[in-house]
Amino acid sequence: MILKIGGSAITIKDAKEPTIDEENLDRITQEVSKYNDDLIIVHGAGSYGHIYAQKFGIGDVIGNVNDHLYKLEGVCRTQASVQLLNYMVCTKLHEKGVPAIGIKPSSFIVTDNKRITLCDTEVIKRYVDNGFVPVLYGDAVLDYNDYMKYAIISGDQIIAYLAEQLKADRVILSSDVDGIYTDNPKTNPDAELLEVVTKDSEYVTTANNDQSDVTGGMSGKVKELLDLADKGIQSQIINAEVPGNIQLAVSGQKVKGTIIK
Ligand code: ADP
């Protein structure tokens, strides 16, 4: 099973500085610890990633030499920040008895035009086979495109890639909303939850004003998951902010949310 823990659930996404949501992290890791089978966790970067990614314009076309130096600093700062979040997530998982192994995506993933191209999943698979729980995350990576050289990969792109490569049985994404709505539920009170989404479903996604997410927010998520569904792997979006949801979902019980198929 591949479980995504949304950056919006474990960090305060609209904070000015990288800020952890201690209460949610504690509860969510406790819920995850109830699962006893093969598991890979991917978490979003939340405020630990997008603040730096946006400030330094990672993924934008690089201008002159000075701009490149600026981008180098940006990649370093983004990587260090999201690695710190990963360390905190893994430490919390250890406290709950989960054998979590933090794996740094930028150390073995290279993108081409922002899509994962180079990525050997053998190490991840071996950790799982030995009973560990690999924990990956959204990161700043090298990109083969010489005009941009670096890119941000979302946790959502990572789960879709791993799910396909490792032939996951179940893919669960948790976020700070119940699932995919007909419109952004944070700005439109009339938005209705869609229990099932396919490539023919009709819905609108908007970015939240206070959440500058460089990886596309809900629309980026749905795109990755529809591509995955196209390859025969369905996924489920649930709300990590509702206590008990993750525990129910990982144990295979019905939870309010959206199935993408
Ligand atoms: P995460 O960080 O958990 O991966 P994102 O912040 O990237 O999640 O995306 C979730 C956000 O997408 C929600 O907070 C919600 O406000 C926004 N959103 C925009 N349009 C929609 C929609 N049609 N349905 C559900 N959420 C939406």
Side-chain angles (χ1 to χ4, degrees), residues 99-256:
I101 289 286
I103 297 186
K104 181 174 176 151
S106 49
S107 66
F108 71 106
I109 291 177
V110 179
T111 52
D112 190 11
N113 281 319
K114 306 186 182 183
R115 303 301 300 170
I116 297 173
T117 311
L118 181 77
C119 175
D120 186 349
T121 54
E122 178 61 18
V123 173
I124 298 172
K125 193 172 171 309
R126 288 192 78 84
Y127 272 120
V128 173
D129 289 346
N130 281 296
F132 291 103
V133 175
V135 185
L136 295 88
Y137 49 96
D139 204 356
V141 301
L142 291 167
D143 193 289
Y144 284 121
N145 181 323
D146 264 343
Y147 294 102
M148 65 175 94
K149 290 190 185 343
Y150 316 106
I152 299 292
I153 43 167
S154 65
D156 301 319
Q157 188 181 160
I158 296 175
I159 53 160
Y161 188 90
L162 293 183
E164 188 192 351
Q165 294 289 321
L166 302 174
K167 301 186 176 36
D169 292 327
R170 296 172 59 210
V171 179
I172 299 172
L173 285 89
S174 62
S175 186
D176 66 343
V177 287
D178 286 341
I180 303 167
Y181 285 72
T182 48
D183 193 0
N184 188 345
K186 297 236 171 112
T187 51
N188 180 353
D190 296 328
E192 286 171 28
L193 182 67
L194 299 167
E195 283 189 17
V196 175
V197 161
T198 66
K199 58 180 174 347
D200 300 322
S201 301
E202 288 187 17
Y203 54 88
V204 177
T205 55
T206 56
N208 290 326
N209 290 336
D210 57 351
Q211 280 187 355
S212 41
D213 189 319
V214 294
T215 56
M218 187 54 82
S219 77
K221 207 179 300 300
V222 184
K223 188 190 159 300
E224 302 291 350
L225 299 179
L226 283 175
D227 283 354
L228 187 61
D230 222 24
K231 290 162 186 153
I233 300 178
Q234 77 171 41
S235 53
Q236 180 184 17
I237 299 183
I238 59 164
N239 194 342
E241 309 235 321
V242 177
N245 257 3
I246 289 188
Q247 192 174 334
L248 284 175
V250 296
S251 59
Q253 298 184 56
K254 193 166 162 41
V255 179
K256 185 177 181 185

